[in-house]
């Protein structure tokens, strides 16, 4: 049998292709956190001011009396906490009809949010905006918070709190930028497709435990093993190993087979 | 054996000239220039030497670097120093041995083109005949053919021998028997919130509320008595929706399985048994994170997407005399994935 004659490989094209594949890194958009003070108590003037803002900015979708229309749900009885969550995270007002309202820069000042919340709260009883003491996690049980998080939150928001996909283009958002107030408000009111977790089923101190777990354990979590690839699990890990890992193997194969001069 | 036209392998008898001549052979620079060869030798030795250093470095790092030291590594984030160094030294140690070996083979090992001769694979006819004759002799001398009782008892003994291996499989545990068809839910079992153990009243749940729940009796079952199995089968989710939103339920004619819009469903996916709580309260749909099976809880837990073959089993619920939510009975069908005997 003839020995295999070593053919000269034109590896340049392959190398360029692989370099491009490997360079396809994942970029992370860091959104800055904006903590804010507790809104003061609502007064009659705030309700009036809120009503004015509502008619200007919200009534198109939610109806002139906040009764809801085909384009938006009714807001009677959703409570001040719901308004505070939706508007301070910039999810409302919606910039365009979409399956889900994304987090964006808030469109209203804190005073305007307070007024809007006061107006919607005046329409019907609902969850109030949590006070600073409601948000205190000093006495919260971190271990219990972890267990509750894994039982109630991790399914959608992912074990690392990085969020995850739902059906039809909807998603559970990442919790990395969420403030304790937003977390408690979201649990109380169930924004968009999230179910709600009222204090009757998940008491406030349990919510505080979950908040403590998220803020202390997840939001500043180190990645002991190195590149966490977004903590999304098999999708990003698979993409990485199929491009960077197999790419490296291909490069090695090209080098081993290359003609020696 | 020279009739090989039409194949790309040339088979040469000993001493023949090859049918397909080789292209001219060019020597490598390391074959002609001793300086280049020396350089290649140094490269290979350096790789092997570095590998040894990395191995020593691994041992040193393992002993010296505390596991609670973290460093910030630019875009990668905050990384445990010990893991980083251990991984790098160990990985480089094996990689450098491999790279050195390949470099050695490519640059320094003999670079001659050799014609490998290929012979017929079968043994020569006389060897085959001799082996067969030897076997026949052995057969005759052993008396395997004539002594029928010896032969038959041997065959019988060998046939029975594997039976103990099958009998000891019994120790793999009892058959599941009926346990797959039942959970610990029974008439009057109180529904409590998972983890916290709080019993629930209907007014605790608002429209759109989701509760991961379990039977109150679960805590009374000890670990060794199968607490985890009981939990795995009995886990449920409670959701509340407007009664007008409920299109259908699994309850037979004349029965009410919800309580004023509060519905209880198994938490275990009917596909391969992942626990599900991805409840999208606007659509009343339950999405399994494993394979995207989607169940419409407003429509009797019907499968609306994905690989699940059966609807999500519904637990009939009501309230007891003290106003707490309880089960009306066990599930009316096995929960979780399909199994053989289920048919």
């Amino acid at each position: 049998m003839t020995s295999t004659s070593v053919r000269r490989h034109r590896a340049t094209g392959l190398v360029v292709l692989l370099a491009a594949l490997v360079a396809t890194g994942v970029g992370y958009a860091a959104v800055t956190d904006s903590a804010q003070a507790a809104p003061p108590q609502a007064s009659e003037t705030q309700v009036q001011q809120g009503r004015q803002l509502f008619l200007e900015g919200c009534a198109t979708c939610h109806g002139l009396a906040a009764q809801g229309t085909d384009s938006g749900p009714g807001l009677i009885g959703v409570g001040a906490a719901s308004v505070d969550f939706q508007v301070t995270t910039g999810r409302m007002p919606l910039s365009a009809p979409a399956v889900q309202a994304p987090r964006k820069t808030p469109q209203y000042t804190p005073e305007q949010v307070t007024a809007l919340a006061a107006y919607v709260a005046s329409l019907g009883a609902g969850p109030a905006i949590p006070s600073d003491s409601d948000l205190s996690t000093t006495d919260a049980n971190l271990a219990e918070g972890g267990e509750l998080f894994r039982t109630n939150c991790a399914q959608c928001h992912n074990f690392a709190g990085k969020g995850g996909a739902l059906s039809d283009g909807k998603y559970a958002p990442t919790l990395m930028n969420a403030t304790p107030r937003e977390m408690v408000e979201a649990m109380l009111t169930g924004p968009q497709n999230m179910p709600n977790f009222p204090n009757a089923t998940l008491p406030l101190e349990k919510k505080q435990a979950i908040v403590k777990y998220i803020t202390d354990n997840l939001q500043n979590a180190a990645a002991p093993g190195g590149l966490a690839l977004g903590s999304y699990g098999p999708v990003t890990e698979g993409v990485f190993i199929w491009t960077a890992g197999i790419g490296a193997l291909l490069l090695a194969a090209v080098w081993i087979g290359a003609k020696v001069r | 054996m020279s009739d090989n036209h039409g194949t790309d392998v040339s088979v040469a008898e000993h001493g023949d000239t090859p049918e397909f001549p080789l292209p001219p052979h060019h020597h490598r620079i390391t074959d002609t220039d001793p300086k280049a060869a020396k350089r290649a030798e140094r490269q290979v030795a350096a790789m092997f030497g570095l590998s040894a250093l990395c191995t020593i470095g691994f041992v040193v790092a393992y002993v010296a670097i505390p596991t609670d030291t973290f460093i910030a590594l630019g875009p990668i984030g905050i990384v445990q120093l010990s893991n980083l160094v251990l991984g790098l030294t160990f990985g480089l140690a094996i990689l450098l041995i491999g790279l050195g070996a390949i470099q050695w083979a490519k640059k320094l090992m003999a670079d001659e083109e050799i014609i490998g001769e290929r012979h017929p694979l079968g043994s020569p006819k006389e060897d085959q005949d001799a082996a067969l004759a030897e076997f026949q002799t052995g057969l005759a001398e052993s008396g395997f053919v004539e002594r029928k009782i010896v032969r038959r008892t041997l065959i019988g003994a060998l046939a029975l021998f594997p039976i103990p291996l099958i009998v000891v499989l019994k120790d793999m545990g009892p058959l599941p028997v009926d346990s797959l068809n039942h959970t610990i839910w029974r008439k009057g079992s109180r529904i409590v919130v998972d983890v916290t153990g709080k019993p629930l009243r209907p007014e605790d749940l608002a429209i759109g509320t989701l509760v991961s729940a379990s039977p109150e009796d679960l805590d009374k079952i000890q670990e060794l008595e199968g607490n985890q199995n009981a939990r795995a089968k009995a886990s449920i989710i409670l959701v509340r929706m407007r009664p007008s939103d409920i299109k259908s339920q699994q309850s037979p004619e004349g029965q009410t399985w919800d309580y004023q819009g509060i519905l209880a469903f198994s938490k275990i996916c009917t596909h391969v048994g992942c626990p599900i709580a991805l409840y999208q309260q606007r659509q009343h749909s339950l999405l399994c994170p494993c394979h995207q099976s989607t169940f419409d809880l407003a429509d009797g837990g019907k499968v609306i997407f994905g690989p699940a073959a059966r609807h999500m089993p519904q637990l009939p619920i009501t309230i007891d005399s003290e106003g707490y939510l309880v089960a009306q009975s066990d599930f009316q069908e096995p929960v979780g994935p399909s199994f053989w005997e289920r048919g």
Side-chain angles (χ1 to χ4, degrees):
Chain A
M1 169 188 164
T2 57
S3 76
T4 48
S5 68
V6 186
R7 205 164 52 82
R8 183 184 164 81
H9 286 269
R10 291 278 173 200
T12 331
L14 188 57
V15 172
V16 169
L17 175 68
L18 288 170
L21 285 173
V22 172
T24 313
V26 184
Y28 305 106
V31 183
T32 46
D33 218 11
S34 60
Q36 58 169 61
Q41 282 298 308
S43 68
E44 188 55 34
T45 45
Q46 277 176 325
V47 172
Q48 286 311 315
Q49 190 200 350
R51 180 166 179 277
Q52 202 57 41
L53 287 165
F54 181 89
L55 292 174
E56 287 162 12
C58 320
T60 317
C61 297
H62 292 291
L64 286 173
Q67 78 282 16
T69 70
D70 290 343
S71 332
L75 299 183
I76 296 164
V78 299
S82 183
V83 177
D84 191 53
F85 176 86
Q86 299 281 359
V87 182
T88 55
T89 61
R91 287 183 165 87
M92 290 290 145
L94 206 54
S95 53
V99 287
Q100 184 159 339
R103 188 187 187 99
K104 58 181 188 292
T105 314
Q107 305 294 302
Y108 290 95
T109 64
E111 293 72 36
Q112 288 174 317
V113 177
T114 313
L116 273 173
Y119 169 65
V120 171
S122 74
L123 300 172
I129 298 173
S131 68
D132 282 342
S133 61
D134 290 345
L135 300 171
S136 162
T137 58
T138 324
D139 301 327
N141 182 336
L142 185 62
E144 188 183 38
E147 198 176 355
L148 288 165
F149 180 85
R150 289 186 291 276
T151 305
N152 294 295
C153 320
Q155 291 243 353
C156 298
H157 289 289
N158 155 334
F159 271 59
K162 300 284 167 89
L166 298 174
S167 56
D168 303 321
K170 296 185 292 291
Y171 58 92
T174 169
L175 304 176
M176 293 302 106
N177 313 312
T179 64
R181 180 183 307 280
E182 290 161 13
M183 294 173 208
V184 172
E185 285 172 349
M187 287 188 260
L188 281 172
T189 63
Q192 305 191 33
N193 257 296
M194 175 169 162
N196 57 50
F197 299 84
N199 286 344
T201 65
L202 189 70
L204 188 62
E205 83 237 30
K206 308 289 182 194
K207 289 190 172 71
Q208 291 165 348
I210 293 176
V211 169
K212 189 184 181 99
Y213 180 73
I214 298 171
T215 53
D216 290 13
N217 255 41
L218 298 183
Q219 290 189 336
N220 300 308
L227 209 51
L229 297 170
S231 303
Y232 291 128
V235 176
T236 46
E237 286 165 16
V239 168
F240 181 79
I241 207 67
W242 274 87
T243 52
I246 295 184
L249 287 180
L250 284 173
L251 282 176
V254 168
W255 174 61
I256 291 171
K259 174 125 178 105
V260 184
R261 300 171 74 69
Chain B
M1 297 305 293
S2 59
D3 188 23
N4 272 295
H5 300 291
T7 74
D8 55 356
V9 178
S10 96
V11 177
E13 291 296 336
H14 201 68
D16 285 359
T17 48
E19 268 179 82
F20 305 103
L22 297 170
H25 183 64
H26 300 287
H27 285 291
R28 302 168 301 193
I29 189 164
T30 45
D31 294 328
T32 51
D33 180 2
K35 269 191 185 161
K38 205 75 197 162
R39 201 159 54 234
E41 192 182 349
R42 278 198 302 272
Q43 287 170 358
V44 173
M47 288 191 211
F48 290 156
L50 266 178
S51 166
L53 284 181
C54 284
T55 305
I56 295 165
F58 178 91
V59 177
V60 172
Y62 189 83
V63 176
I65 301 179
T67 51
D68 56 358
T69 311
F70 287 81
I71 57 161
L73 260 194
I76 292 178
I78 303 160
V79 174
Q80 192 179 334
L81 183 64
S82 159
N83 271 344
L84 182 73
V85 177
L86 292 180
L88 282 177
T89 50
F90 198 66
L92 281 174
I94 186 75
L95 180 69
L96 285 166
I97 291 176
L99 293 180
I102 293 166
Q103 183 76 344
W104 182 10
K106 283 171 63 112
K107 294 267 169 126
L108 294 174
M109 285 185 188
D111 180 37
E112 288 164 25
E113 289 178 353
I114 299 167
I115 295 171
E117 290 170 4
R118 190 178 274 189
H119 303 284
L121 283 174
S123 303
K125 182 82 176 73
E126 55 268 30
D127 287 1
Q128 292 181 12
D129 291 345
L132 193 61
E134 226 165 275
F135 177 76
Q136 296 293 356
T137 316
L139 194 62
E141 285 178 358
S142 69
F144 191 74
V145 179
E146 294 86 43
R147 301 192 193 280
K148 284 185 181 154
I149 187 142
V150 172
R151 187 172 79 228
R152 288 174 184 166
T153 46
L154 173 62
I155 291 172
L158 287 174
L160 284 179
F161 186 72
I163 287 179
L165 302 179
I166 296 165
V167 172
V168 296
L169 290 180
K170 183 180 166 292
D171 284 341
M172 303 263 293
L175 288 170
V177 204
D178 206 24
S179 67
L180 292 172
N181 296 318
H182 300 292
T183 72
I184 62 169
W185 287 107
R186 54 190 164 71
K187 185 173 162 59
S189 295
R190 274 209 183 142
I191 299 168
V192 299
V193 180
D194 206 359
V195 183
T196 61
K198 179 183 184 296
L200 287 166
R201 291 174 183 277
E203 58 268 29
D204 293 341
L205 284 84
I207 303 293
T209 294
L210 165 73
V211 181
S212 287
S214 54
E216 192 179 38
D217 312 339
L218 185 63
D219 281 350
K220 298 189 191 112
I221 303 174
Q222 297 303 310
E223 189 79 40
L224 285 175
E225 294 167 344
N227 178 287
Q228 293 296 328
N229 279 345
R231 171 183 292 276
K233 290 193 294 178
S235 286
I236 58 164
I237 57 166
L238 282 180
V239 297
R240 185 167 206 166
M241 55 187 84
R242 284 183 188 84
S244 59
D245 285 348
I246 300 175
K247 282 178 262 176
S248 77
Q249 291 190 58
Q250 293 167 19
S251 45
E253 201 71 37
Q255 287 189 31
T256 313
W257 279 13
D258 72 317
Y259 186 80
Q260 296 175 359
I262 301 175
L263 298 159
F265 283 91
S266 168
K267 197 180 183 181
I268 313 302
C269 185
T270 59
H271 176 221
V272 286
C274 294
I276 323 182
L278 281 82
Y279 177 58
Q280 304 179 97
Q281 55 106 349
R282 291 273 178 83
Q283 290 100 328
H284 316 302
S285 66
L286 189 64
L287 169 69
C288 181
C290 295
H291 305 98
Q292 285 71 53
S293 291
T294 311
F295 303 88
D296 188 350
L297 300 192
D299 198 2
K302 187 175 80 175
V303 182
I304 50 174
F305 183 79
R310 291 182 292 111
H311 64 195
M312 190 56 92
Q314 186 179 353
L315 182 74
I317 60 166
T318 183
I319 55 165
D320 64 10
S321 56
E322 291 170 61
Y324 288 107
L325 287 167
V326 294
Q328 286 184 30
S329 67
D330 193 1
F331 285 100
Q332 300 295 303
E333 61 185 309
V335 299
S338 299
F339 49 93
W340 190 264
E341 295 85 346
R342 190 168 195 261

